[in-house]
Amino acid sequence: MEPDQSRNRVVVCGGGVIGVCTAYFLSKRGAAVTLVEKSSVACAASGKAGGFLALDWCDGGPVQNLARASFELHRSLAAELNGPESYGYRALTTLGLTVTEPRERSDPVTPSGSKVSGLPEWVDGPAKGIRVIGSDQTTAQVHPQLFTRTLLSKAVNDYGLEVVIGKVQQVDTVGGRVQAVVLEGGQAMEADSVVLALGPWSGKFGLVSSLFGVYGLKAHSIVLEPKQPDAITAHALFLSFIPRDGGLPMDPEVYPRPTGEVYICGMSSREEVPDDPEQIRGKPESIKVLKEVARAVSTQLDEGEARVRAEQACFLPCTDDGIPVIGELPDVKGCYVATGHSCWGILNGPATGAAMAELVLDGRAGIVDLTRFSPSRFVSSRKK
């Protein structure tokens, strides 16, 4: 028999995909969950990411089991929540290819000529080196903002999740154990457990930053709406883009969405994370490059042929060792952290959330072993 969790009060701090997935699985298990978000749900990377999912691209690394479990969870969630209609879940064929930028902006894009085997017809720029790097069995996509908000709505409407808009100021403890979360302005919410899922803002929160560092990798993206969206097939493109000025190749990514949009991202750099996610703006020069990428890939994605729906940037949460941090803080009983997923946050959100729910409610995670991700790993490194 399942233990009665009705008295287990959990405050989840952070309304991105990791926080929402955690709140979803906790509330589904019967915990009394409050989600605290400073701005709006999925307002940062979880709303501006690509939403690309891969079964086996993390194989051979520390995230392998987490990624595989999460890819399968995405499938089951899509079946449960009508993902294809609710948030654009679909399988993809994923291609790698090289594209060269036209010599001048005024020059017409030279079509690739005769039909290249495996290349979608809408990719009519000078492409070469085409190879399949993911099948419809191993790669898929979601619209990340719609995915995050669909999970949130389900948890609110069916499982009693409460959402509070406010800035978390501190976590109060008594005798080394969580007692409450205090918001800016003084509101205190009593809690048996607290989950800090603050993304790149984790590095600005004292309990976290005193143990390990989290920094932000700023990534740019544009969202285009082509005139003939039905002509854009379900092919994700991972590019080697060669600039016309002879500079180093770049590696932008192109994700058509079933909503009729085409998302293009790239141009990343490590920068200071602003306090307010609403203050994040893309660099004009980076946005310009992404528009050149779009033009080089397809005449249908040229700015004159496609409407620009968004020019944006977001910060991906990264750790110094490149591995997510998922687990209980070593010196604060009942205080958990989940951050540092870098570019794989949307993929790994479901398994992270499910594992956190198990860890909080059962004392251990069953869906995936979290030992490698424990924040305790930083204790020994700081003593050296």
Side-chain angles (χ1 to χ4, degrees):
M1 179 180 294
E2 284 287 318
D4 181 9
Q5 301 293 349
S6 61
R7 293 178 57 83
N8 203 310
R9 302 162 300 174
V10 186
V11 177
V12 177
C13 306
V17 68
I18 303 299
V20 168
C21 284
T22 300
Y24 172 84
F25 285 105
L26 280 165
S27 59
K28 189 175 184 179
R29 285 280 305 274
V33 186
T34 302
L35 178 78
V36 182
E37 163 57 36
K38 177 183 177 181
S39 182
S40 61
V41 170
C43 66
S46 297
K48 299 173 182 176
F52 180 74
L53 313 176
L55 171 67
D56 54 5
W57 286 26
C58 297
D59 280 7
V63 186
Q64 172 180 318
N65 293 339
L66 183 71
R68 282 181 165 268
S70 212
F71 188 85
E72 296 302 335
L73 258 181
H74 268 290
R75 279 181 173 159
S76 60
L77 284 170
E80 177 186 345
L81 303 173
N82 191 21
E85 295 295 327
S86 299
Y87 51 82
Y89 176 88
R90 68 175 176 184
L92 291 169
T93 297
T94 304
L95 304 177
L97 60 152
T98 299
V99 175
T100 303
E101 184 179 13
R103 298 302 298 173
E104 299 293 341
R105 179 64 184 88
S106 57
D107 289 348
V109 174
T110 303
S112 53
S114 59
K115 184 73 174 70
V116 179
S117 177
L119 189 66
E121 290 187 6
W122 60 273
V123 182
D124 56 7
K128 61 181 180 180
I130 295 91
R131 61 202 186 281
V132 177
I133 57 178
S135 73
D136 59 6
Q137 296 300 307
T138 62
T139 55
Q141 71 180 143
V142 297
H143 187 299
Q145 185 181 77
L146 296 179
F147 169 70
T148 305
R149 292 183 175 177
T150 297
L151 278 188
L152 180 78
S153 295
K154 178 72 172 179
V156 168
N157 295 330
D158 291 8
Y159 309 135
L161 173 67
E162 180 184 2
V163 179
V164 172
I165 300 299
K167 182 179 180 180
V168 177
Q169 188 171 53
Q170 66 188 55
V171 175
D172 281 351
T173 61
V174 173
R177 183 172 186 84
V178 161
Q179 182 183 48
V181 170
V182 181
L183 305 185
E184 198 172 66
Q187 179 185 355
M189 294 180 293
E190 293 186 354
D192 301 304
S193 304
V194 174
V195 179
L196 301 174
L198 301 171
W201 287 273
S202 301
K204 295 178 176 287
F205 198 76
L207 268 181
V208 174
S209 61
S210 63
L211 183 61
F212 62 91
V214 179
Y215 66 90
L217 187 67
K218 188 175 185 179
H220 292 76
S221 58
I222 59 174
V223 180
L224 304 175
E225 187 177 87
K227 292 179 179 178
Q228 297 178 305
D230 291 343
I232 311 297
T233 55
H235 288 82
L237 309 179
F238 280 70
L239 307 179
S240 176
F241 179 72
I242 302 176
R244 61 172 170 256
D245 61 7
L248 293 174
M250 294 175 280
D251 53 358
E253 300 160 17
V254 180
Y255 305 129
R257 289 172 169 167
T259 52
E261 305 168 338
V262 177
Y263 173 97
I264 303 175
C265 64
M267 307 302 293
S268 302
S269 60
R270 182 170 175 172
E271 295 184 24
E272 180 66 23
V273 180
D275 290 336
D276 185 353
E278 303 294 347
Q279 296 175 347
I280 299 172
R281 299 289 183 272
K283 294 180 179 178
E285 57 270 28
S286 296
I287 297 297
K288 181 181 178 183
V289 170
L290 292 180
K291 290 179 179 179
E292 292 293 344
V293 170
R295 174 175 175 264
V297 167
S298 174
T299 53
Q300 296 191 54
L301 301 182
D302 193 350
E303 195 170 359
E305 294 296 319
R307 184 166 71 94
V308 180
R309 295 198 58 179
E311 301 174 355
Q312 58 196 14
C314 63
F315 282 86
L316 308 177
C318 304
T319 60
D320 289 336
D321 62 7
I323 301 171
V325 187
I326 310 168
E328 190 173 26
L329 292 176
D331 297 325
V332 188
K333 192 66 178 174
C335 188
Y336 303 82
V337 63
T339 187
H341 292 72
S342 187
C343 63
W344 292 114
I346 305 300
L347 167 63
N348 288 321
T352 298
M356 287 300 297
E358 293 172 335
L359 185 61
V360 171
L361 300 180
D362 304 331
R364 63 178 296 277
I367 188 172
V368 64
D369 183 3
L370 294 179
T371 304
R372 184 65 183 86
F373 309 115
S374 173
S376 297
R377 72 184 190 262
F378 297 102
V379 176
S380 57
S381 65
R382 291 208 166 189
K383 288 179 179 179
K384 292 179 180 178

